[in-house]
């Protein structure tokens, strides 16, 4: 399988797409100025206790108070609280947790009011980003995630991922980490650490401990709460850390600075893959070039076609997601019979559903209404098929067998808001009002704006991005509109097709890539 990673860096967001044989299987998007991201550590203040929920609401600066459940305090909360108070008590000396005597674990079934009080200062980490109307969800069990290891201060245990099946390898990794980790630091060994050498694990462990040492002294400099103590590593590297696989044949990036960051990171975790990172410098959008824009338009709608006319209908509610499997106008094999045809469509649907869950990052409860089957062996085989299709999904999930009504229930970990991409387009000329100027005059309007740019604003070099159909019209013929415009206004006029634009949408950009606002200027009358 040919796997590729495409990184699209824009001024306001970073998008990472994973392609398997040119087929989009995963898409991650994150704003470059996103706050309250998973992994960020804050010094906050308890605003309200909710004994009925056994939880507290904590102010970390978000518009809504963040939620902290008693079970998310972590067994070693007393040690975290002791460390925080010591750090504030003596601001000239930062406490060394390796020399601290850890406090006893808090009671597993205790009450939030026994541990916290209103107005108390507390050290917390974002476990879930704000989703819908809810604020962030917090934990006081601090952790620092790396590629191979997760470092957990105030904890002396070493745990190994259950996905590592070899007993010998599990024992080797546990003994290895026990021998090199500092005192009072716990470690979770991730699945990708399987087979790794001591030097690789030791290097990352030291880097994670250094991250703790470099950032936590900030709590002694805090003058006002709440405040950010530790921010997760660069957005691109943070996204790449979980997505990266040694099987990638190429990583294409459209930003030189980001490419260097990725190269530096990969040099540390997989030096042999450093040369697969390549800079994309084409005029066409990197997502257009690799067919990602078109695939997202086809895959994120309410209806998704997956094979021979069969399709899925995906609906969302606040509490759960519902997926209906339909055979559609798919040509059926009369010799196979209804049962076998239903089984065939259901198996194909299982593959597409697993892909959709990863693509959209759908979390919570997912209910799937498969086509009815009567044979128990088919129902059991469909469950196995679904489990196999979900093996590539990194999010924690649980799949239940088909119920007597033919429904399959899946729970999938929700950490970030679901990926939403609108597949409909608002008319860029009438803005949904239903009335617009004659489209035949569209290119005349563009010519007028180009004239205004060149003759009035003295902008000699610029790029005009338009829908591919419009670009084709402008470029058609020997004496094309492009030829005429360049002859009249200079060779600095560049026309670039962009699949992300609506039919009559357009954007002007200067040499530096900054957009020129020409929407309301010099319209043709």
């Amino acid at each position: 399988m040919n796997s590729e990673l495409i990184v699209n860096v824009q001024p306001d967001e970073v998008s990472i797409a994973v392609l398997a044989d040119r087929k989009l299987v995963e898409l991650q998007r994150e704003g470059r100025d996103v706050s309250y991201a998973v992994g960020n550590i804050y010094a906050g203040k308890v605003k309200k206790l909710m004994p009925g929920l056994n939880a507290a609401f904590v102010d970390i600066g978000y518009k809504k108070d963040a939620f902290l459940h008693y079970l998310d305090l972590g067994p070693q909360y007393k040690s975290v609280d002791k460390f925080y108070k010591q750090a504030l008590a003596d601001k000239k000396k930062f406490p060394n947790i390796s020399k601290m005597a850890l406090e006893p674990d808090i009671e597993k079934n205790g009450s939030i009011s026994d541990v916290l009080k209103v107005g108390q200062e507390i050290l917390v980490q974002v476990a879930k980003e704000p989703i819908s109307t809810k604020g962030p969800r917090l934990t006081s069990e601090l952790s620092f995630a790396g590629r191979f290891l997760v470092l957990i201060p105030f904890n002396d245990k070493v745990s190994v991922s259950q996905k590592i099946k070899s007993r010998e390898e599990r024992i080797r990794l546990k003994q290895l980490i026990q021998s090199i980790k500092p005192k009072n630091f716990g470690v979770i060994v991730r699945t990708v650490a399987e087979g790794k050498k001591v030097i690789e694990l030791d290097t990352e462990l030291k880097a994670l401990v250094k991250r703790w040492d470099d950032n936590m002294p900030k709590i002694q400099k805090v003058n006002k709460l709440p405040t950010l103590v530790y921010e997760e590593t660069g957005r691109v590297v943070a996204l790449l850390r979980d997505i990266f696989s040694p099987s990638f044949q190429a990583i294409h990036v459209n930003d030189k600075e980001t490419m260097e960051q990725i190269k530096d990171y990969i040099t540390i975790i997989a030096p042999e893959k450093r040369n697969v990172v390549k800079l994309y410098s084409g005029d066409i959008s990197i997502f257009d070039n690799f067919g990602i824009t078109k695939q997202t338009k086809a895959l994120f709608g309410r209806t998704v076609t997956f094979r021979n006319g069969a399709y899925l209908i995906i609906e969302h509610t606040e509490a759960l997601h519902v997926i209906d499997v339909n055979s559609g106008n798919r040509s059926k094999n009369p010799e196979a019979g209804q049962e076998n045809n239903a089984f065939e469509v259901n198996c194909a649907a299982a593959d597409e559903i697993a892909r959709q869950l990863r693509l959209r990052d759908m979390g919570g409860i997912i209910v799937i209404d498969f086509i009815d089957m009567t044979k128990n062996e088919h129902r059991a085989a469909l469950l196995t098929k679904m489990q196999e299709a979900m093996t590539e999904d990194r999010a924690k999930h649980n799949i239940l067998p088909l119920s007597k009504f033919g429904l399959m229930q899946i729970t999938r970990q929700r950490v970030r808001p679901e990926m939403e991409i609108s597949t409909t387009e608002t008319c860029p000329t009438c803005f949904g009002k239903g009335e617009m100027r004659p489209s035949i005059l569209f290119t005349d309007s563009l010519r007028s704006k180009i004239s205004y740019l060149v003759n009035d604003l003295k902008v000699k070099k610029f790029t005009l991005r338009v829908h591919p159909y419009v670009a084709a019209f402008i470029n058609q013929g020997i004496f094309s509109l492009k030829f005429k415009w360049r002859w009249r206004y200079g060779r600095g006029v560049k026309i670039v097709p962009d699949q992300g634009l609506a039919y009559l949408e357009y954007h002007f950009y200067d040499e530096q890539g900054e957009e020129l606002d020409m929407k309301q200027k010099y319209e043709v009358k």
Side-chain angles (χ1 to χ4, degrees):
M1 181 182 291
N2 182 23
S3 298
E4 294 177 289
L5 197 68
I6 315 299
V7 182
N8 183 17
V9 181
Q10 298 296 325
D12 55 345
E13 73 173 13
V14 177
S15 302
I16 296 182
V18 180
L19 300 180
D21 294 331
R22 293 280 173 159
K23 186 178 181 182
L24 182 63
V25 294
E26 191 162 348
L27 182 64
Q28 295 279 351
R29 283 185 174 178
E30 191 161 335
R32 301 186 74 175
D33 58 348
V34 170
S35 301
Y36 312 103
V38 171
N40 286 1
I41 296 177
Y42 293 85
K45 184 175 288 188
V46 178
K47 298 290 287 185
K48 187 187 298 184
L49 297 180
M50 303 292 288
L53 298 174
N54 205 14
F57 285 99
V58 181
D59 178 16
I60 62 169
Y62 188 66
K63 59 185 178 182
K64 288 195 172 185
D65 291 336
F67 183 79
L68 175 64
H69 194 273
Y70 179 85
L71 295 177
D72 293 324
L73 287 171
Q76 291 292 338
Y77 171 73
K78 289 183 179 179
S79 298
V80 179
D81 188 48
K82 175 183 176 182
F83 164 83
Y84 184 59
K85 289 176 179 176
Q86 283 184 4
L88 294 181
D90 186 358
K91 295 191 176 183
K92 294 182 179 180
K93 182 181 179 182
F94 188 72
N96 185 340
I97 71 169
S98 294
K99 296 180 180 179
M100 281 179 57
L102 296 182
E103 295 294 309
D105 291 0
I106 62 174
E107 292 184 28
K108 188 174 182 180
N109 298 315
S111 171
I112 194 76
S113 54
D114 294 335
V115 182
L116 299 179
K117 59 183 180 181
V118 175
Q120 179 177 338
E121 296 181 14
I122 184 172
L123 209 56
V124 289
Q125 187 169 30
V126 177
K128 285 186 180 181
E129 291 180 8
I131 297 175
S132 186
T133 58
K134 301 174 183 176
R137 181 155 184 166
L138 305 177
T139 176
S140 283
E141 192 168 18
L142 309 181
S143 63
F144 296 82
R147 174 68 179 160
F148 307 123
L149 309 171
V150 179
L151 182 72
I152 305 177
F154 311 104
N155 186 327
D156 239 351
K157 297 178 182 178
V158 175
S159 304
V160 181
S161 169
Q162 294 181 353
K163 292 184 180 180
I164 299 178
K165 301 300 181 184
S166 169
R167 183 172 178 273
E168 292 76 13
E169 179 64 4
R170 292 173 63 86
I171 293 173
R172 181 189 79 89
L173 289 169
K174 191 167 187 175
Q175 291 177 342
L176 191 160
I177 298 300
Q178 284 281 17
S179 66
I180 62 175
K181 78 172 187 65
K183 185 181 177 184
N184 292 343
F185 281 97
V187 175
I188 297 174
V189 182
R190 306 182 75 173
T191 309
V192 289
E194 187 172 7
K196 297 301 177 184
K197 297 179 181 178
V198 179
I199 184 66
E200 295 177 271
L201 301 179
D202 185 50
T203 299
E204 181 165 276
L205 182 61
K206 288 178 179 176
L208 294 175
V209 174
K210 186 175 185 300
R211 202 181 294 175
W212 163 270
D213 293 335
D214 290 347
N215 287 276
M216 299 316 292
K218 294 177 185 176
I219 62 179
Q220 296 181 317
K221 302 174 184 178
V222 173
N223 296 318
K224 182 181 178 182
L225 292 180
T227 189
L228 177 65
V229 175
Y230 164 74
E231 187 171 15
E232 255 289 15
T233 185
R235 298 297 174 201
V236 176
V237 174
L239 288 171
L240 188 64
R241 181 182 62 209
D242 293 329
I243 290 177
F244 178 77
S245 167
S247 65
F248 289 137
Q249 275 77 44
I251 299 176
H252 300 276
V253 192
N254 66 343
D255 180 76
K256 189 172 182 179
E257 182 181 347
T258 304
M259 182 196 71
E260 294 299 334
Q261 291 178 10
I262 293 175
K263 270 193 174 181
D264 292 342
Y265 177 68
I266 292 179
T267 300
I268 297 172
I269 65 170
E272 71 282 0
K273 286 290 181 179
R274 188 176 188 273
N275 293 329
V276 304
V277 184
K278 302 172 184 177
L279 179 64
Y280 175 81
S281 55
D283 291 331
I284 300 175
S285 163
I286 187 171
F287 271 14
D288 288 3
N289 184 68
F290 290 95
I292 296 168
T293 304
K294 186 175 181 180
Q295 290 192 59
T296 55
K297 294 288 186 182
L299 293 170
F300 280 85
R302 176 176 177 268
T303 302
V304 179
T305 303
F306 60 91
R307 183 183 294 179
N308 297 333
Y311 61 95
L312 306 175
I313 295 178
I314 303 176
E315 298 280 6
H316 311 279
T317 70
E318 184 71 20
L320 52 81
H321 309 277
V322 180
I323 302 176
D324 185 29
V325 179
N326 295 275
S327 60
N329 58 1
R330 177 183 174 278
S331 58
K332 302 176 177 61
N333 182 358
E335 297 180 2
Q338 181 180 347
E339 174 75 14
N340 290 331
N341 279 317
F343 176 65
E344 183 183 339
V345 173
N346 285 340
C347 287
D351 286 327
E352 183 60 33
I353 289 168
R355 179 189 181 195
Q356 287 289 328
L357 296 185
R358 287 177 65 191
L359 265 178
R360 304 185 186 214
D361 205 6
M362 293 162 62
I365 301 172
I366 299 104
V367 179
I368 307 167
D369 183 11
F370 283 105
I371 299 172
D372 290 341
M373 300 181 296
T374 57
K375 292 184 179 179
N376 289 333
E377 57 266 31
H378 283 166
R379 296 162 69 92
L382 180 60
L383 174 62
T384 303
K385 177 69 176 178
M386 194 74 226
Q387 291 169 337
E388 291 173 352
M390 294 283 286
T391 53
E392 296 296 321
D393 196 333
R394 295 185 311 278
K396 293 179 182 177
H397 57 270
N398 186 31
I399 306 172
L400 298 181
L402 287 169
S403 70
K404 63 180 181 179
F405 299 117
L407 302 177
M408 179 179 288
Q409 299 174 63
I410 299 176
T411 58
R412 188 174 182 273
Q413 184 183 27
R414 183 191 306 210
V415 176
R416 295 180 175 88
E418 180 191 346
M419 175 74 68
E420 291 184 357
I421 297 178
S422 176
T423 56
T424 59
E425 299 171 346
T426 299
C427 175
T429 51
C430 75
F431 303 103
K433 296 178 182 177
E435 293 182 356
M436 53 185 273
R437 296 176 63 250
S439 57
I440 194 68
L441 300 179
F442 178 63
T443 54
D444 291 341
S445 176
L446 292 180
R447 179 193 56 75
S448 299
K449 292 174 187 294
I450 291 172
S451 175
Y452 179 77
L453 269 177
V454 174
N455 298 323
D456 293 35
L457 300 183
K458 306 303 180 186
V459 179
K460 300 300 182 184
K461 290 186 177 181
F462 55 89
T463 299
L464 170 60
R465 289 184 175 270
V466 291
H467 188 276
Y469 289 172
V470 177
F473 177 76
I474 293 173
N475 287 312
Q476 74 172 349
I478 298 176
F479 297 104
S480 63
L481 284 175
K482 178 182 176 181
F483 173 83
K484 294 175 182 177
W485 291 350
R486 297 186 75 174
W487 178 78
R488 186 170 182 177
Y489 302 111
R491 300 185 62 82
V493 180
K494 182 185 287 187
I495 310 297
V496 177
D498 190 332
Q499 295 178 13
L501 300 183
Y503 183 51
L504 295 181
E505 187 176 3
Y506 61 91
H507 296 277
F508 286 90
Y509 296 90
D510 62 17
E511 282 188 279
Q512 288 72 42
E514 297 291 329
E515 185 171 1
L516 302 166
D517 184 9
M518 301 293 294
K519 293 293 187 298
Q520 304 299 327
K521 291 182 174 63
Y522 208 78
E523 291 286 356
V524 175
K525 301 299 181 183

